[in-house]
Amino acid sequence: MREETSAPSVLRPPSTPGSPRVLDFLLENGLYVSTLILIAVFSVSIPVFFTLENAVNILSSAALKGIIAAGFTITLIAGLIDTSILGMAALSTVLTGVLFQQLGWPLWTTMLGVAAAALVMASLNDALVVRAKINSFVATTATSGVFLGVCLALTNGQTITITRPELQTVLLARPLGLPVAIWLMFAVYGAGYVLLNHTRLGSHLYATGANHNAARVNGVPVNRVTHIAFALCALAAALGTVLATARAGSSLLFGTQFLTFDLTEIFTAVLLGGASLFGGSGKIERNLVAVLFLTILANGLQLLQTGTGIWLVLKGAAFVAAIILDVVRQRRQ
Amino acid sequence: MHTVRNETTLQEAHTITDRPQRSAALFLLDNAIVVALLVAVIVFSLASPHVFFSPTNLISILRFASLGGIMVACYTCAMIAGQLDLSTSQVGAFSGVVFALLFQVMRWPLPLAFIAALACAGTVGWFNGLLINRVGLPSLVTTLAVGTLVYGLSYLIVDGFGIASVMRLTRPPLRSLVNADLFGIPISIYLMFALYAVVYLLLNHTRFGAHLYAVGGNPQAARLNGIRVPQMISTVLVMTALAAGVATVLLAGRQLAVTPTTTVLASPLVAALFAGVSLSGGVGRIERTLIGVLFFSVLGIGLSILSLPPFVRFTVEGLAFLLALLTDSIRTHLEQR
């Protein structure tokens, strides 16, 4: 079918003769260029932008979304779209509140409990996609609704305020001057990089996403790969959410609204980072830059005190641009 | 993989293969929505016998169903053509906000403001179609992205004109017009039934309808047979956007207010899917969609009569979505075997 440049085992096909090099360069590095331009513009126009404090601030916000986006990329590489990250995040934050605050569990068992719940949710997604053969996008949209329903049943729509200090003292500590979340983000991306580029599972993920049937015929255990991809995505969503919960000091669900991030933001970041909707390609390290790009944009607009409308329009435009870029990139390969 | 699975070929297939067990299973699956409606009616009428069958309650069930029903009617056409539109909520709210801006703030006459709001909705639908046809992405992601953009535009309008995020609609002709009754029945109910009648004729007795089934069942074959697939796709997406616009403006007229998050029906997809319209396109009947819409209305009104906590309704709807997906999956599986 399609040739995948990102799959480590496949050689990059030579670009077609006479093709404009500029477009190739931009498709390859446009993200880095625009991030730098954005930083330059904001540094000139906003005095407090280019400070250490604001940089740490940007990195911490980016960390929460970045960790979740890392898991989302892995599913996308495997050819799956897991839209239930929202529902999973909601259930993770509610469970953190219930287990840690209301039941008084120690921090480490709370985190294990949330991780276990994430794995259960991943299995449900997996069952719908692998057993019932439902399109992953639609199946996970349905499960996301069910997870939100469970959250509401657990809390009756109330936000749980976390007053026990342990969660925040541990997760908001600053070893070597940087918050734990940022270290964890780098750890997740490091692990993701090694997993995708230097392990057999990594190449199986790319192969499954690129061509499911061909992969199966060639002996890739596609069902197990799918299961692992969903599980990693769920675990990343849970980790990112527990960190966000610690940062906010309360569970993050207001009615049925989960406000810390939304699906479209993660989607935009991952597609801007070059992962494809069609599966089989994507580099996790670029994600990080894309998440930073969006976070810097949000941060700069916030400091400039523009209204919500402009940020929402820019976010939507970035999403539309990202899907168009995805197709342009696919066609050029 | 994809075969044209409209009703006639299905029935022929049954008579040829003649496997009674499978036909029975398929018959049940196809009519699950009728059974579900009957069960819901029986359960709620037993739970609250005096309230449920009162004429006011029956009218309120139909009234509750009408606006969502208008959206799902067009949504069914889009799904039959294989297109899933996730932008309906945002497009609806957008045209509601545009309507409020023109009618309330700029004092345009009602019909002009209404047509302009619908034109905006239609443009978004056309843009969805353009992206799907030209860029070649699946409708799911395209409409999700466009929905995000349009949601931003609604906020931009609200921000830009310095209006409070709840736009109140107090100018006189709107309220009396939208809430008018005819023989004691609200006008939106007539509108819904009229639309279903039109769509029924469109799907079953016109060339356009036959082409929709063909496009959804097998786009390649449809193209080879000379059907203009891109135009069909654009048309159905404009239809869903227009229906969302009409329904939201009517809702705004009922509530006398509109916000960028006003939603008539959070997920027309669930209602249509539950009524047996297939995710994979090429299958679906509008009369069953109507029953599906009534089912969700009975469910909603019934649960609110029983005054259960709001999360129960949310969870029930989530589970209904899951159940509908599984039913669709089983049916597809049975038909392909």
Side-chain angles (χ1 to χ4, degrees), chain B residues 96-308:
Chain B
V97 168
V98 170
F99 175 77
L101 175 72
L102 298 177
F103 177 69
Q104 185 71 32
V105 182
M106 298 199 166
R107 305 264 148 188
W108 284 25
L110 181 66
L112 212 58
F114 184 62
I115 290 170
L118 287 192
C120 287
T123 311
V124 178
W126 171 81
F127 185 58
N128 272 331
L130 186 77
L131 282 180
I132 291 168
N133 291 325
R134 284 293 176 83
V135 182
L137 273 167
S139 55
L140 273 175
V141 188
T142 309
T143 52
L144 184 68
V146 170
T148 318
L149 182 61
V150 169
Y151 178 64
L153 287 179
S154 307
Y155 261 102
L156 204 59
I157 292 176
V158 171
D159 277 2
F161 286 83
I163 317 163
S165 62
V166 178
M167 301 169 92
R168 303 222 167 273
L169 293 161
T170 49
R171 273 183 72 196
L174 181 69
R175 181 180 195 168
S176 49
L177 212 64
V178 170
N179 297 308
D181 280 10
L182 197 62
F183 309 117
I185 296 171
I187 227 160
S188 58
I189 296 178
Y190 293 105
L191 264 180
M192 173 180 78
F193 282 115
L195 182 63
Y196 275 89
V198 170
V199 174
Y200 180 82
L201 290 178
L202 197 68
L203 286 179
N204 295 299
H205 297 288
T206 66
R207 184 195 288 255
F208 178 78
H211 284 183
L212 276 187
Y213 281 103
V215 168
N218 189 338
Q220 277 80 24
R223 191 173 297 122
L224 290 177
N225 280 310
I227 298 174
R228 292 181 184 168
V229 178
Q231 282 185 0
M232 302 293 287
I233 289 176
S234 288
T235 310
V236 289
L237 287 167
V238 169
M239 277 168 70
T240 55
L242 286 180
V246 171
T248 314
V249 172
L250 289 177
L251 182 71
R254 270 185 199 174
Q255 299 180 335
L256 299 178
V258 70
T259 73
T261 50
T262 300
T263 310
V264 173
L265 189 63
S267 183
L269 176 65
V270 183
L273 198 63
F274 214 72
V277 185
S278 176
L279 273 180
S280 34
V283 179
R285 291 175 69 171
I286 193 71
E287 58 273 28
R288 287 199 192 120
T289 300
L290 182 58
I291 296 174
V293 167
L294 293 178
F295 166 73
F296 275 99
S297 185
V298 167
L299 196 66
I301 299 267
L303 289 178
S304 69
I305 289 178
L306 296 181
S307 58
L308 293 170

Side-chain angles (χ1 to χ4, degrees), chain B residues 305-328:
Chain B
I305 289 178
L306 296 181
S307 58
L308 293 170
F311 70 79
V312 173
R313 195 175 151 205
F314 195 84
T315 315
V316 165
E317 281 174 4
L319 288 174
F321 192 1
L322 212 58
L323 195 65
L325 279 179
L326 286 173
T327 320
D328 186 43

